[in-house]
């Protein structure tokens, strides 16, 4: 149990994760926009502007967040645009929210994470996902997030920091419904992973004993 810094807390997976973490006895600090409506401590910040995060109250030094024991990056945006359609702002915003903000939050909390020999969890995309037509910015950002996790794991092993990438397949969220609609594909939440189920598995990753942990976790819907 400890203080968990969480992004994406107002999304479908993030909302379920807040409940699961609190139920497991963790303290949750949510980072992002509109976090004031959550029943946990919130730090208002725009993840689309990673360069401003260091100046956000509570993140500028190790003071208020000096006891962070885990960082879970669950935030993400998912524009459906072909390379021929996606302008620089689509790429900038997608890479900022999905990757660069995660890297900056890790940088800002590393002193605390090193002291606590903490855990960083990146919620990625479906296992094995590669090039997907009309989803280039999203897929590229998730590939970059995977490489960020792998590099961080090697860099911080000497400090005892655990780094896990979670690869969830189709999860029943409003965002997935919007993406499926943009692709002209059907969306049936009954065939997807429940956000509460995925949240429970992330909490399980955080509860690993001292001598081992899951560095990667692929999560699939059970056969129906």
């Amino acid at each position: 149990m400890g203080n968990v810094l969480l992004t994406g807390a107002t999304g479908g997976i993030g909302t379920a994760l807040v409940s699961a973490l609190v139920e497991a006895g963790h303290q949750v600090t949510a980072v992002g926009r509109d976090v004031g409506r959550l029943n946990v401590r919130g730090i208002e910040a725009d993840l689309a502007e990673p360069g401003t995060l260091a100046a956000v109250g509570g993140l500028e030094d190790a003071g208020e967040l000096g006891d962070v024991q885990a960082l879970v990056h669950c935030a993400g945006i998912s524009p459906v645009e072909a390379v021929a359609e996606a302008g620089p702002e689509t790429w900038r915003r997608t890479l900022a929210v999905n990757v660069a903000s995660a890297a900056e939050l890790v940088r800002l909390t590393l002193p605390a994470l090193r002291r606590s020999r903490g855990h960083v969890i990146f919620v990625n995309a479906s296992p094995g996902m590669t090039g997907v037509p009309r989803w280039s910015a999203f897929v590229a950002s998730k590939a970059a997030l995977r490489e960020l996790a792998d590099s961080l794991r090697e860099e911080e092993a000497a400090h005892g920091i655990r780094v896990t990438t979670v690869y969830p397949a189709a999860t029943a969220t409003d965002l997935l419904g919007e993406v499926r609609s943009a692709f002209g594909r059907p969306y049936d939440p009954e065939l997807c992973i429940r956000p509460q189920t995925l949240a429970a598995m992330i909490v399980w990753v955080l509860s690993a004993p001292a001598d081992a942990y899951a560095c990667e976790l692929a999560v699939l819907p059970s056969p129906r």
Side-chain angles (χ1 to χ4, degrees), residues 10 54-55 57 115 117 120 143 167 169:
T10 58
R115 284 194 299 271
R117 299 179 70 85
V120 178
Y167 297 99

Side-chain angles (χ1 to χ4, degrees), residues 106 119 133 166 197:
V106 168
H119 203 145
V166 178
T197 300

Side-chain angles (χ1 to χ4, degrees), residues 81-137:
E81 294 182 58
V83 175
E85 303 164 351
E89 180 59 16
T90 293
W91 283 92
R92 186 203 69 79
R93 186 173 178 81
T94 304
L95 291 169
V97 173
N98 293 6
V99 189
S101 62
E104 178 64 355
L105 286 172
V106 168
R107 187 183 72 84
L108 292 171
T109 56
L110 265 180
L113 290 168
R114 286 170 175 172
R115 284 194 299 271
S116 65
R117 299 179 70 85
H119 203 145
V120 178
I121 296 180
F122 298 111
V123 179
N124 204 288
S126 294
M129 186 177 70
T130 54
V132 180
R134 298 181 59 217
W135 222 12
S136 54

